[in-house]
């Protein structure tokens, strides 16, 4: 839920002060009723906001942050298994959202869903090298030589060439892994190649976007205008 004046000002069409005045004049309607106050809390993904009877056009694209739980597929639909789209309400499902990249079924954490194809392309394109940060818990004991191997860039036994990556050791069996690319099962494969198979994996960050710590596992929220802007940069 967000403040009405914040949602409207994020469109760049009206300042917060103007919104206050428009509300006073009864010119803003939220879900069919005159808006009561600038600080009223509404769900920007669900509410219909009209100014002088016309939609504000604040929702050209939709951007949703999902705290993906384990056990669901990063896909739009699947005939047998539950997908991340099944965690969203119907009105959001109708907007043609797709996950930006994939997390494995058993991986948790940050997943962005949007219908903004251009942003999706830029976030996933190898050209832009968008950093992804993961928390990993492994079997075995991480050592500085593992971090060195990550930093040097690895070629795995199956031929997979990995760009230099970050491995920040947090405890003997926990680390933050930073990748600039997103190849299939990459974190798991890189750590397995070091003899430290992953037991638990969670994505914490993608580019500038961080998983909201207040967002419970399985829950979603719309991105804030400034989060979308930062991703576009
Ligand atoms: N790397 C993996 O191995 N799995 C994921 O889900 C994401 C990155």
């Amino acid at each position: 839920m967000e403040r009405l004046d914040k949602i409207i000002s994020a469109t760049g069409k009206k300042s917060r002060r103007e919104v206050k005045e428009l509300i006073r004049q009864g010119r803003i309607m939220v879900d069919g009723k005159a808006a009561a106050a600038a600080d009223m809390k509404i769900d920007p993904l669900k509410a219909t906001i009209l100014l002088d009877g016309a939609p504000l056009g604040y929702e050209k694209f939709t951007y949703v942050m999902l705290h993906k739980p384990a056990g669901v597929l990063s896909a739009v639909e699947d005939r047998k298994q539950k997908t991340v789209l099944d965690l969203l309400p119907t009105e959001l499902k109708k907007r043609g959202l797709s996950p930006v990249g994939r997390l494995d079924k058993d991986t948790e954490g940050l997943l962005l869903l949007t219908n903004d194809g251009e942003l999706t392309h830029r976030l996933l394109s190898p050209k832009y090298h968008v950093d992804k940060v993961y928390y990993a818990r492994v079997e075995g004991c991480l050592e500085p030589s593992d971090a060195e191997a990550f930093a040097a860039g690895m070629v795995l036994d199956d031929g997979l060439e990995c760009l230099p990556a970050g491995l920040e050791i947090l405890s003997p069996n926990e680390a933050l892994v930073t990748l600039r690319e997103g190849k299939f099962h990459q974190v798991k494969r890189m750590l397995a190649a070091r003899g430290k198979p992953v037991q638990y994996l969670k994505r914490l960050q993608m580019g500038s976007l961080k998983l909201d710590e207040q967002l419970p596992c399985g829950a979603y929220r719309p991105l804030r205008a400034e989060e979308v802007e930062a991703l576009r940069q």
Side-chain angles (χ1 to χ4, degrees), residues 102-108 134 179 182-190 198 201 203:
R102 284 167 190 269
L103 291 177
D104 296 337
K105 188 175 173 188
D106 60 353
T107 301
E108 293 183 1
Y134 299 85
L179 297 187
K183 292 177 176 153
F184 188 58
H185 293 330
Q186 190 168 352
V187 174
K188 290 176 184 165
R189 285 159 82 186
M190 289 176 80
V198 168
L201 192 61
R203 182 154 67 191

Side-chain angles (χ1 to χ4, degrees), residues 101-122:
R102 284 167 190 269
L103 291 177
D104 296 337
K105 188 175 173 188
D106 60 353
T107 301
E108 293 183 1
L110 174 66
L111 191 65
L112 171 65
L113 294 116
T114 184
N115 46 12
D116 179 344
E118 193 185 326
L119 183 67
T120 301
H121 172 74
R122 283 171 56 183

Side-chain angles (χ1 to χ4, degrees), residues 155-208:
V155 181
L156 309 189
D157 285 348
D158 57 13
L160 184 76
E161 291 182 23
C162 305
L163 288 173
L167 182 78
E168 184 188 336
I169 299 173
L170 304 173
S171 82
N173 67 342
E174 295 168 296
L176 292 180
V177 175
T178 304
L179 297 187
R180 302 166 66 202
E181 53 187 347
K183 292 177 176 153
F184 188 58
H185 293 330
Q186 190 168 352
V187 174
K188 290 176 184 165
R189 285 159 82 186
M190 289 176 80
L191 283 163
R194 300 295 305 168
K196 322 280 154 79
V198 168
Q199 285 180 325
Y200 172 80
L201 192 61
K202 177 175 180 174
R203 182 154 67 191
L204 303 177
Q205 192 169 343
M206 183 175 199
S208 57

